[in-house]
Amino acid sequence: MVRTQLKYNNLAEIVGSDGLAIITLTDESASRAIHIVCDQAMRNQLQMRANQLDVCNSMLPEVLTAMLEDYVDPQKLEITIYDVKDGQYLTTLMNTDNFSIRKIRLSDAVLLHVVAGVPVFIDEKLMASQSAPFQPDMSKISIPINTLDTDKLQAELEKAVEEENYRLASYIKEELNKRNHVEQS
């Protein structure tokens, strides 16, 4: 698998949502980005680190990272995003010394990346299909519909029909049908 290394770039609140935010990860040249929806709890965790609050030094991610350094070199860990399924990026955390692998939620992996500097990689083909050109001052961000959970997709379908945006409604309906077909198989 050919991979592209990503780095945390920023966090933006989704206006009108219940605390949801968008995490932006860019390639090393900051020319392409993937955008990940995260919940309010993760938004708060990432904002605390961005603000470099002293309280973070005694919080679980920092404490566990410091303790883990007694057993594992954080630079021997890697995060890999390898697929998208049912609106979620599929992600693993691997120890490159013994090749042990654990599944991890992508937003948690991003927090680990921010706290411990664990590198994040994405399958190159997935990056090509999921990313968009990165523009630092964008006021709008596009998110691939296959990264939204089913409930959000259903809400967006209703909104698209209400606004008579039938082209978008068709794309959303197609994604929902794909998911329903997979669940029934």
Side-chain angles (χ1 to χ4, degrees):
M1 169 192 316
V2 179
R3 303 179 306 167
T4 299
Q5 188 163 1
L6 300 175
K7 61 183 179 182
Y8 174 81
N9 185 278
N10 66 43
L11 182 71
E13 187 175 344
I14 300 175
V15 178
S17 71
D18 292 330
L20 296 178
I22 301 287
I23 299 169
T24 299
L25 300 175
T26 62
D27 60 10
E28 291 184 293
S29 65
S31 60
R32 305 233 12 117
I34 64 167
H35 305 287
I36 303 139
V37 177
C38 72
D39 59 21
Q40 183 174 2
M42 187 56 64
R43 181 195 75 190
N44 294 344
Q45 291 294 315
L46 289 168
Q47 282 178 330
M48 291 172 72
R49 275 67 183 190
N51 294 331
Q52 299 178 343
L53 300 180
D54 288 336
V55 69
C56 292
N57 294 327
S58 60
M59 294 181 75
L60 185 64
E62 284 77 3
V63 171
L64 281 180
T65 297
M67 290 192 76
L68 271 174
E69 288 176 359
D70 293 339
Y71 304 98
V72 177
D73 178 357
Q75 296 309 307
K76 300 287 184 175
L77 299 175
E78 290 184 353
I79 297 161
T80 301
I81 307 164
Y82 63 93
D83 203 357
V84 177
K85 184 176 180 184
D86 296 331
Q88 299 293 315
Y89 281 103
L90 303 180
T91 309
T92 59
L93 175 64
M94 180 174 73
N95 179 333
T96 60
D97 269 346
N98 63 15
F99 300 106
S100 64
I101 297 174
R102 300 287 185 268
K103 291 181 180 181
I104 185 169
R105 187 174 72 154
L106 181 52
S107 57
D108 290 319
V110 170
L111 182 60
L112 184 61
H113 167 69
V114 168
V115 170
V118 175
V120 179
F121 297 93
I122 186 169
D123 175 78
E124 189 175 80
K125 290 178 184 175
L126 187 61
M127 180 68 172
S129 68
Q130 296 296 118
S131 68
F134 177 65
Q135 298 172 341
D137 299 327
M138 288 178 67
S139 62
K140 293 184 177 184
I141 297 173
S142 65
I143 299 172
I145 63 172
N146 67 343
T147 63
L148 296 175
D149 68 36
T150 303
D151 292 339
K152 287 185 187 83
L153 274 180
Q154 192 61 48
E156 288 302 315
L157 175 61
E158 292 169 12
K159 181 179 172 186
V161 170
E162 184 178 298
E163 294 174 355
E164 298 180 6
N165 187 344
Y166 299 118
R167 186 174 188 175
L168 177 59
S170 174
Y171 290 132
I172 295 170
K173 186 69 175 157
E174 185 178 324
E175 178 64 23
L176 288 168
N177 287 339
K178 281 183 201 175
R179 292 182 190 185
N180 288 335
H181 178 69
V182 169
E183 288 174 10
Q184 294 171 2
S185 297

